[in-house]
Amino acid sequence: MRRHRAVLIALSTLLTASLTTIAAPASAAEPGQVTGLTVRQADGFATLAWQPVDGATDYQIERTPVDAAGTPTGTATIVGIWRPNRQINQESPTFADAGFNPGDRFQWRVRARFDTTEQPYSEPVAGTTTAPWGNPDVPGEQLRTQWETTHAAQYTSDTEEYAYTAAIDELSDRVRVVEIGRTVKNRPINMFVIGYPTPPATPEAVAATSPAAVNCNVHGNEPGDREACLIMARQLAFSTDPRVIDLLSHTTVLIVPTINGDGRAANTRGNSTGQDLNRDYSLIRQPETAAYVNMVRQYRPVAGYDGHEYGNSRAGDLPMLPPRHQNVAQPIFDESMDMIEGHMYTKGAEDGWWPCPYGCDGGGNVGLGEETILRNTLGLKNVVNSLLELRSSGGQTRPDEGNAANNRRRKTFSALWTFQQFLDYHRASLPDIKQARAESITFQAANTGRLVFRGSRPITAHPAPHPGSSPPPIDAPPADLILDNAPCAYRLTEEQYHGARTDGPTGAVTTAAERIADHGWKVIKVGDSYYVPLNQPERGLIPLLLDGQGVENLVDGERIYPTSTGRHTGPLTVTGFACLDDATVTGPVTVRSGAALVTTGTTITGPVNATGAAGVLLADTKITGPLRVTGTTDAVSLIDLTVTGPVDVSANRTDNQPLLVGNTVNGPLACAGNTTAPTNLNISNTVTGPRAGQCATL
Amino acid sequence: MSYPRTSRPRRAGAILAAALLLATTACTDQSAPAPAGGTVSVTGPLCAALPTGTEPGNPTALADLPVDQALTWMPTLTTFEAALRTSGLLTDLHQDGITLLAPTDDAFAKKFSDDTWDTLMTRDHDKLRTLLKAHLIAGTRPLDELAAAGTATTLDGVTLTVTRTGDTTRFGDTADAVCADYLATGARIHLVNAVLGPLPTTADGSGHRAH
Ligand SMILES: [Zn+2]
């Protein structure tokens, strides 16, 4: 079972985390006194750890500013409360103290409480906290954000972000900054593309490295994660830490600091039209969300995080939630849960942070299955991912966050910890992530099982002995939002596909055709109709936008059911739109010029030959005999086929990439002269014969 | 006046900013000299949450900044600051002495739902300007002076009561001054803990807005 791995891979230390752990001097303990207190410094926080006291209800963490000689220079303050629900394991309590000026020196003590009765304090430990990352004398490393230089009094403005971003781009060979789009008000939306020694040159080459993506700031009034992203970009660009070199040697990191630049500038949740962008990632009415979806199509991140802040003061430090729309394939949901509960909960217990399910204590009606939310959109696009919240206030376990700058620091450095952990998780778990993705893509393309228009997979509470937090609401799909009999395709009229729309910013409203292209779905035009088959990698998302029952849909497309099921013996000639599902064909199949063939769960004995077809989308199908697809005009997709015989995909004229994904070919595979080179979406084909031409490395 | 203000003044222009980013390796000089009037002291329970001492953004360092820039240094005023900037009222503020009753971010969060606020910020700019005028008083008025007067008329034409009980000064029976007597060029800023004006409360107080 992937979800609760017993053994977690040992990971390298956090960037700049001191390997030195400072321990309090040993002395004979009084009854009830905490012993074994240690402190370990990392980026913007200090991890306190101690031996538990039998019978303790909770612990208080006290911090005092001190000088180099250990003399207090300020007042002692209770800055933390450790409670059992902060941590999945109880035998090794830890607390990440944050909310101070990085680089300052402190002394800490911890005491247990029995109910409310305070026990003696531990012996103190002292340490100098880690200064803002980067040697001030080393070019590149010396860059600082506006947030850092103002001691968190100001967030980094748009112009400061662009200057900082440009400086990193200029000074680091590892970084390429690309503009993935513009906001409604024409602000550039930048993305750091970071690899070692240099990032791959094209989106397709980046995609081949199974990149990890962080979306830092979709709600403009939640800027904490964005500052963490800007700091992490500098670390990745210039750090010589072996962990960073190793990470960037194996993958590419994609960081979008500000998808909602207009909202950030105005400090509003939505963009400049008032649209909540995190309710728009499926519909992509706005240029900001369209830019992100376009990026995902081109760069194909396999894992992601999406940063937010959250007002529930009873929540943990770091509420997290996986994609849970029920159309998200099970392996993606499972792997996302593993990332959160397997990795983050475990590492949180080591480092003293408190990740928890979104909602946590008294979560209310949050964390549901809207496909308009990036978390769910990405899941439906087969990306392992999580939402991240930074609890806005100090909450129940951080009683001294009245100082606004210190509150901001705790939020940003907890986000930085999470994003660094996310990259470590990606590095350690990439085989699992890729397997989950491959299984999900083939599952989706097979177009089997019911469709749910809205509703979530359940998330259960973390198992005992964790005394933990309450999970988010069940959010099961109601009966009227379940479609047991999935269609083969949706048919759109010319008006639906290309017609003018009104749902978007004035003067910049896109058509359904443009949005479908942004998502990367294959469309076949036959006669006057546009067909969007469901046997595609994003099958679970298609009906949410194209079915009349979709809660927030794009058009009321017509459901097209299979035209053939069961046995067919003798030659089969396809004219118009044909869909075979759960069919057995014995005899040659010929797809005529301008026609379309879509198959799932089908066995064909006999050659399959499509010449000049509008579209050929075959998935989860067995073919005995040569398969030849040539001269296709609109779309070619071959996913999870078993072909006994040669496969030839040549001279197709599609403007989008032909897909050859996860097929088994007992014979040669040849591709030549396709207008757009085919891709395997990084899911290899198994080919016993030679591979030639554009398919040589697929 | 030519004395330095803060180590990192706001500036426009990416190229200049980039050059300064490269040149500025640390906050080596956070302490600003006192303004013409000497050290500025602010009073109220929230002052400790704001930059103090020699921190960037401390009250003395702000005293010679234009009011729009001074507001950007107050981390509990991000909503009010952005609203003033968005509304365009700041242009008017530069003309004469002005006193700002500046609601904190918490005050806005208690008053308006995100949706209400986004609508004001993106579409209802007339309503936004009226709302903001309910927080502006002509002249630079110290808190003591307002309390002594007992009333104050805001730029939306409403006359507020100003009452003092013990250490607390309250405007319009709703908004307490929580950190008073910030100075900026031609301006005084009193942070208050509630939003004034007639707009209805739309926040549900749950803090559970889904993300
Ligand atoms: Zn959010």
Side-chain angles (χ1 to χ4, degrees):
Chain A
M1 184 171 168
R2 182 176 285 121
R3 182 166 156 192
H4 294 299
R5 271 191 289 231
V7 180
L8 273 143
I9 299 104
L11 293 160
S12 56
T13 54
L14 287 176
L15 272 161
T16 75
S18 167
L19 293 174
T20 316
T21 299
I22 309 294
S27 64
E30 298 177 49
Q33 184 179 21
V34 164
T35 59
L37 179 66
T38 62
V39 65
R40 189 159 42 91
Q41 304 297 337
D43 286 332
F45 69 94
T47 299
L48 287 307
W50 59 90
Q51 292 297 314
V53 173
D54 278 349
T57 307
D58 62 14
Y59 300 86
Q60 291 177 311
I61 294 93
E62 178 204 68
R63 183 210 307 154
T64 310
V66 295
D67 63 18
T71 307
T73 58
T75 52
T77 310
I78 304 280
V79 293
I81 309 289
W82 187 96
R83 303 188 311 187
N85 68 337
R86 281 188 62 94
Q87 205 167 311
I88 54 169
N89 59 343
Q90 304 295 302
E91 63 279 4
S92 306
T94 58
F95 188 89
D97 183 29
F100 46 74
N101 183 42
D104 288 356
R105 184 171 177 82
F106 300 100
Q107 162 190 298
W108 290 269
R109 297 191 300 173
V110 176
R111 69 182 172 198
R113 292 195 297 190
F114 296 162
D115 292 322
T116 56
T117 307
E118 293 150 358
Q119 305 301 306
Y121 267 118
S122 69
E123 294 296 321
V125 290
T128 301
T129 58
T130 304
W133 187 89
N135 185 331
D137 300 322
V138 175
E141 288 192 27
Q142 103 289 8
L143 294 168
R144 296 291 182 269
T145 63
Q146 183 179 357
W147 183 83
E148 290 175 294
T149 56
T150 63
H151 291 201
Q154 296 182 332
Y155 286 111
T156 303
S157 70
D158 50 0
T159 52
E160 292 279 342
E161 177 196 315
Y162 297 140
Y164 176 85
T165 302
I168 289 179
D169 194 10
E170 172 75 23
L171 292 169
S172 174
D173 290 343
R174 302 176 196 172
V175 176
R176 181 170 66 252
V177 175
V178 296
E179 183 180 308
I180 62 170
R182 293 264 172 144
T183 67
V184 171
K185 289 189 156 179
N186 208 34
R187 282 190 169 85
I189 302 170
N190 286 331
M191 178 169 76
F192 294 97
V193 182
I194 312 177
Y196 184 87
T198 59
T202 64
E204 184 68 24
V206 171
T209 69
S210 299
V214 182
N215 191 36
C216 310
N217 187 211
V218 65
H219 290 140
N221 57 350
E222 299 167 6
D225 311 82
R226 171 172 170 268
E227 297 296 340
C229 281
L230 294 174
I231 293 169
M232 187 167 78
R234 180 173 86 236
Q235 295 175 326
L236 295 174
F238 301 108
S239 174
T240 54
D241 185 319
R243 167 195 163 272
V244 171
I245 305 297
D246 173 67
L247 173 79
L248 296 177
S249 300
H250 286 86
T251 191
T252 312
V253 177
L254 308 174
I255 300 173
V256 178
T258 319
I259 193 74
N260 183 13
D262 297 344
R264 173 79 285 274
N267 201 43
T268 54
R269 177 181 172 97
N271 70 354
S272 65
T273 73
Q275 173 63 48
D276 181 343
L277 296 179
N278 207 27
R279 296 297 179 276
D280 195 50
Y281 281 104
S282 55
L283 287 161
I284 48 177
R285 292 161 291 198
Q286 304 293 327
E288 296 92 349
T289 43
Y292 205 83
V293 164
N294 243 309
M295 183 281 285
V296 170
R297 175 174 52 79
Q298 295 178 59
Y299 288 83
R300 299 200 296 268
V302 300
Y305 253 86
D306 183 36
H308 296 262
E309 297 186 26
Y310 182 44
N312 177 359
S313 63
R314 288 173 296 167
D317 295 327
L318 297 162
M320 299 181 186
L321 196 71
R324 58 186 297 233
H325 190 291
Q326 283 203 0
N327 287 359
V328 173
Q330 187 78 46
I332 289 293
F333 175 81
D334 288 347
E335 189 61 34
S336 301
M337 285 296 287
D338 181 58
M339 176 170 76
I340 296 169
E341 298 201 6
H343 185 86
M344 294 294 180
Y345 284 22
T346 303
K347 303 308 284 188
E350 290 175 16
D351 293 339
W353 291 108
W354 180 16
C356 70
Y358 188 30
C360 301
D361 186 8
N365 198 33
V366 300
L368 307 183
E370 299 100 312
E371 71 282 0
T372 54
I373 296 173
L374 182 62
R375 164 175 60 86
N376 287 316
T377 312
L378 284 181
L380 292 163
K381 290 176 176 287
N382 308 296
V383 179
V384 171
N385 84 103
S386 175
L387 165 138
L388 172 68
E389 298 282 355
L390 316 175
R391 184 191 56 245
S392 298
S393 69
Q396 296 173 314
T397 70
R398 297 181 181 274
D400 185 48
E401 281 196 358
N403 183 288
N406 287 340
N407 169 264
R408 290 177 173 186
R409 287 166 172 141
R410 187 264 306 164
K411 287 186 285 193
T412 283
F413 289 120
S414 69
L416 181 57
W417 175 84
T418 305
F419 297 149
Q420 290 172 345
Q421 286 296 333
F422 165 58
L423 298 181
D424 281 356
Y425 159 81
H426 177 282
R427 175 71 184 99
S429 304
L430 190 56
D432 289 343
I433 296 170
K434 289 169 78 167
Q435 184 183 342
R437 177 175 177 271
E439 289 173 0
S440 295
I441 285 175
T442 52
F443 168 79
Q444 292 219 59
N447 190 21
T448 54
R450 71 181 194 179
L451 291 166
V452 166
F453 291 104
R454 197 161 276 179
S456 297
R457 292 182 183 279
I459 293 184
T460 53
H462 195 83
H466 180 47
S469 326
S470 49
I474 296 292
D475 188 36
D480 65 344
L481 292 181
I482 296 172
L483 183 62
D484 285 312
N485 184 18
C488 171
Y490 288 93
R491 188 173 76 85
L492 275 53
T493 65
E494 177 69 29
E495 174 60 23
Q496 287 174 321
Y497 191 62
H498 279 134
R501 303 180 62 88
T502 57
D503 58 339
T506 308
V509 187
T510 51
T511 62
E514 290 172 287
R515 300 186 205 179
I516 288 169
D518 282 345
H519 281 295
W521 302 342
K522 305 292 189 206
V523 180
I524 310 167
K525 187 178 186 193
V526 179
D528 294 333
S529 298
Y530 297 86
Y531 292 88
V532 184
L534 285 186
N535 66 345
Q536 304 199 48
E538 298 178 11
R539 175 252 192 184
L541 186 55
I542 293 170
L544 311 182
L545 288 177
L546 303 186
D547 196 291
Q549 227 175 316
V551 179
E552 291 181 72
N553 71 352
L554 195 53
V555 294
D556 293 357
E558 180 190 349
R559 294 174 189 165
I560 302 297
Y561 280 95
T563 51
S564 290
T565 59
R567 293 199 163 275
H568 177 98
T569 305
L572 180 66
T573 299
V574 175
T575 58
F577 182 85
C579 178
L580 310 185
D581 177 55
D582 202 14
T584 303
V585 177
T586 308
V589 175
T590 304
V591 186
R592 291 271 192 237
S593 178
L597 177 64
V598 174
T599 72
T600 46
T602 286
T603 301
I604 300 172
T605 306
V608 176
N609 196 338
T611 303
V616 179
L617 274 71
L618 316 179
D620 187 25
T621 290
K622 289 186 171 57
I623 297 171
T624 303
L627 168 61
R628 185 157 181 271
V629 181
T630 180
T632 312
T633 55
D634 294 357
V636 175
S637 173
L638 310 176
I639 301 178
D640 194 23
L641 307 182
T642 302
V643 182
T644 302
V647 173
D648 182 14
V649 178
S650 292
N652 293 291
R653 294 177 278 138
T654 62
D655 64 3
N656 55 85
Q657 293 173 298
L659 299 183
L660 279 86
V661 176
N663 301 296
T664 300
V665 179
N666 298 306
L669 171 63
C671 304
N674 297 291
T675 304
T676 309
T679 178
N680 64 9
L681 298 179
N682 305 344
I683 300 168
S684 296
N685 298 282
T686 303
V687 182
T688 59
R691 304 177 204 221
Q694 292 167 310
C695 294
T697 60
L698 301 187
Chain B
M1 296 191 293
S2 62
Y3 34 75
R5 287 157 184 163
T6 70
S7 66
R8 287 182 55 77
R10 286 172 62 87
R11 51 193 173 264
I15 294 165
L16 173 61
L20 287 173
L21 272 163
L22 294 171
T24 308
T25 57
C27 294
T28 50
D29 180 15
Q30 296 305 339
S31 57
T39 300
V40 174
S41 64
V42 292
T43 54
L46 193 69
C47 297
L50 296 157
T52 57
T54 58
E55 280 281 303
N58 70 74
T60 302
L62 305 189
D64 297 300
L65 295 180
V67 63
D68 57 339
Q69 293 187 25
L71 289 171
T72 67
W73 285 99
M74 300 186 192
T76 59
L77 293 187
T78 59
T79 313
F80 186 68
E81 186 276 325
L84 274 176
R85 184 159 35 85
T86 300
S87 72
L89 269 179
L90 288 169
T91 314
D92 305 338
L93 293 185
H94 285 302
Q95 295 170 358
D96 291 305
I98 194 86
T99 298
L100 291 75
L101 307 178
T104 61
D105 291 334
D106 285 349
F108 278 101
K110 271 187 295 187
K111 180 71 179 177
F112 298 117
S113 71
D114 278 357
D115 287 340
T116 305
W117 186 246
D118 276 17
T119 302
L120 284 167
M121 288 288 283
T122 57
R123 287 193 278 280
D124 288 349
H125 281 186
D126 287 346
K127 204 188 269 187
L128 179 68
R129 285 173 70 95
T130 304
L131 171 72
L132 294 170
K133 284 179 179 174
H135 299 84
L136 306 178
I137 301 166
T140 53
R141 312 282 302 274
L143 190 67
D144 283 349
E145 184 185 312
L146 289 167
T151 60
T153 301
T154 50
L155 296 190
D156 66 341
V158 171
T159 298
L160 301 171
T161 58
V162 186
T163 53
R164 181 166 278 181
T165 308
D167 290 337
T168 303
T169 304
R170 178 166 293 184
F171 295 91
D173 294 326
T174 54
D176 291 346
V178 287
C179 187
D181 289 315
Y182 268 95
L183 298 182
T185 305
R188 269 203 189 240
I189 305 165
H190 309 304
L191 279 65
V192 295
N193 66 356
V195 175
L196 298 163
L199 292 180
T201 296
T202 55
D204 67 3
S206 71
H208 291 170
R209 180 65 191 257
H211 292 272

